[in-house]
Amino acid sequence: MSNLISLLGLQWGDEGKGKVVDHLAKDLKAAVRYQGGHNAGHTLIIDGDKVVFHLLPSAICHQEIKCYLGRGVVVSLDALFEEIEDAQKYLGEIEERLIVSRACSLIQSFHIKLDQLREKSPASTTIGTTGRGIGTTYEDRVGRKSIRVQDLYNETLLKSKLEENLDYYNFIFTNYLEGEKEDINQVLDRNLDQAEMLKPYVGNVISDIHDHTSKQEKILFEGAQGALLDVSLGTYPFVTSSNSSIGGIASGVGIDPRMIDYSLGIAKAYTTRVGEGPFPTELDDSVGEHIAKVGGEVGATTGRPRRCGWLDAVLLSHTVKLNGIDGLCLTKIDVLDGLDEIKICTDYEGNSLNDLLETMSIEEVKPSYISMPGWEKPCAGIRDYEQLDGKAKSYIEKIESLCGAPIVMISTGPRREDTIVRQYPL
Ligand code: IMP
């Protein structure tokens, strides 16, 4: 029996974590985000309406689960209040079950402006960020000048920190990036107004999580983005700015990493990526277009089309290993229904894999593939493993053997019920 579970995307994000959370929800007492910010995107269907949350854990739609934003999350108060309002419309009051750590760094208007101006500037590498000030806020966190939630409640300190920040940012805006200056009084007033609104949600995440664990309650650590976007382990520099892999949990929440007793990974049955950066198995043909269309592959946060390609078992087996994956959830297998041939990348020609994976400099690699026959009977909507076409089973079992982790859940369609549970992780 597992009590502390990590739920981690193993590709470039958008693997479909929200649906897995739905399946585990009945057993969970708490869900915690530990990194990232409102760059993530979970699309939820509540009362027949489509609601997208970016910052709140997707577990928020389950009334009995307490939701936490741990210290590793960067918080935009504008985004937070917008989502709280949306959540309350559908779910009623959430004040009692949403707790934001005092130690979270705040995304300020000037972080968003810098992110967007820099992405447009010919002098900087275009990463294809979500433009939401995520990376620029983490830069200040590491630079030890970010404004944290607790600073909102000390006006003198807040003002002096904002002055220090704006002195620097306004210089950069006006001298390098053709941006407008920000006005200290406006920024300060906005922070002070929002401080009052935030008060009921501010709490102590470390002690609450330790309370849950002492009562043997089940806690889910909900990753955002995916392991290949991890700032340390991913395809640098085309990554996000936080540790989206398992290592981020200990420091992004404040727990002993040895307490995590089940690591659940998620991967699509193929691969997608939004934004710039290497993607060895990307398909630039009608198969790629087919996958994008059938899979509805459009970014939930930015609305950008996602790039699509074959499953890359070189990268997936690597992220399985780095994240200590005990069980794997394979999503969107139904999107491959109807294809005559399905490929899996098993190697990169002529390269030392270990050296490539150390730096993730995979811009130039040439993937080598194994080819598998497509299946006749669609996977869509199947809920029992034994009902799958034998060729679909062979595909799934091939992925298991290449990646070295059991596939415990398989998602066969967008509805919650369209899921095969081979082994319930909790
Ligand atoms: P940032 O996180 O906005 O700084 O963007 C850095 C990179 O991460 C870009 O390639 C984004 O497209 C990507 N990214 C950030 N969040 C997500 C996500 O939730 N899903 C997929 N890609 C993401």
Side-chain angles (χ1 to χ4, degrees), residues 12-14 17 39-41 115 127-136 224-226 229 237-241 273-277 301-302 304 306:
W12 280 290
D14 309 315
K17 300 170 201 88
N39 49 349
D115 187 359
I127 304 294
T129 72
T130 58
R132 296 185 165 209
I134 307 295
T136 43
Q225 292 85 47
L229 286 170
F238 300 99
V239 289
T240 192
S241 303
R273 166 157 219 179
V274 219
E276 306 298 318
T301 299
T302 56
R304 292 178 289 180
R306 295 182 186 137

Side-chain angles (χ1 to χ4, degrees), residues 280-355:
T281 62
E282 183 167 14
L283 286 164
D284 215 359
D285 60 11
S286 58
V287 180
E289 281 165 26
H290 171 86
I291 293 175
K293 191 162 163 232
V294 179
E297 295 297 353
V298 175
T301 299
T302 56
R304 292 178 289 180
R306 295 182 186 137
R307 301 154 64 191
C308 297
W310 296 122
L311 186 90
D312 188 330
V314 171
L315 296 181
L316 186 56
S317 60
H318 182 59
T319 53
V320 161
K321 190 159 73 181
L322 297 183
N323 287 285
I325 296 302
D326 297 296
L328 195 56
C329 173
L330 193 69
T331 59
K332 296 185 113 171
I333 189 149
D334 54 302
V335 174
L336 303 180
D337 286 349
L339 294 177
D340 296 333
E341 182 194 27
I342 298 173
K343 292 185 181 175
I344 305 178
C345 165
T346 54
D347 203 355
Y348 296 148
E349 283 169 29
N351 282 295
S352 154
L353 278 186
N354 285 341
D355 287 350

Side-chain angles (χ1 to χ4, degrees), residues 368-382:
S368 41
Y369 293 101
I370 53 165
S371 166
M372 302 197 68
W375 38 88
E376 286 85 45
K377 179 179 164 193
C379 296
I382 290 184

